[in-house]
Amino acid sequence: MEKTLVIIKPDGVERGLVGEIISRYEKKGLKIGAAKLLIADEEILSRHYQEHKGKDYYNKLINYMTEGPIMAMVLEGENVIKIVRNMNGHKDPSIARPGTIRGDFSYSLTRNIVHASDSEDSSKREIKIWFPEYE
Ligand code: CDP
Ligand code: MG
C-alpha cells in the first residue's frame, strides 16, 4: 500500500483544526498508519526541508514550524500521495481551491496548515525522518 507523510503544521494545531483535518482524510477512506504530536527542532526540520535550504523563505519557514506542536502522521492507501496533495491544495492562497484544506483554512503562502510528501521518493525519505521505527 502506498504511504505518505503528512504534517499538520503549528497553525493547524494552534487553531484547533487537527480533528477537522484528520476527519477529512478518514472520510476519504485513507488509513492512519502512525501519528504523533511533537515540537520539531531545527535539526529534524533541516533534514525534512533540505531542498529548501538557501531559499529566501527558509528561515521564516523554520521559525514558523518550530513555534508550537505539530502533528506528524503516515497515511496509507492506493495513490495516497497524489490524493492527499489534492486534498491539501496549492500552497499559493490565490490558487488553492475552496474545498481543499489550504483553500478553506489558509490565505498565507508560508502559514498553510499542512504538509504532504510530493512523490514516492520524498515519502520514503520523510517517513524515515519522522517515523524511523515505522515499516
Ligand atoms: O508545501 P508544498 O510542497 O506545497 O510547497 P513547497 O514549495 O515544497 O514549500 C514548502 C513550504 O515552504 C510551503 O508549504 C510553505 O510553508 C513554505 N514556502 C514559503 O513560505 N514561501 C515560498 N515562497 C514557498 C514555500
Ligand atoms: Mg514540498
Side-chain angles (χ1 to χ4, degrees), residues 51-52 85 115-116 118:
E51 70 189 76
H52 301 273
R85 293 283 293 186
H115 164 85
D118 63 7

Side-chain angles (χ1 to χ4, degrees), residues 73-126:
M73 65 191 107
V74 178
L75 296 181
E76 306 174 346
E78 208 175 315
N79 291 321
V80 70
I81 295 171
K82 275 201 182 130
I83 287 169
V84 172
R85 293 283 293 186
N86 284 336
M87 291 179 74
N88 285 1
H90 201 277
K91 67 185 164 195
D92 181 340
S94 68
I95 298 174
R97 291 180 177 282
T100 65
I101 292 167
R102 286 167 170 176
D104 288 347
F105 301 120
S106 156
Y107 60 85
S108 161
L109 180 56
T110 297
R111 307 176 67 80
N112 56 11
I113 312 275
V114 277
H115 164 85
S117 311
D118 63 7
S119 67
E120 230 169 290
D121 283 351
S122 17
S123 95
K124 288 205 178 90
R125 192 182 70 80
E126 293 171 4

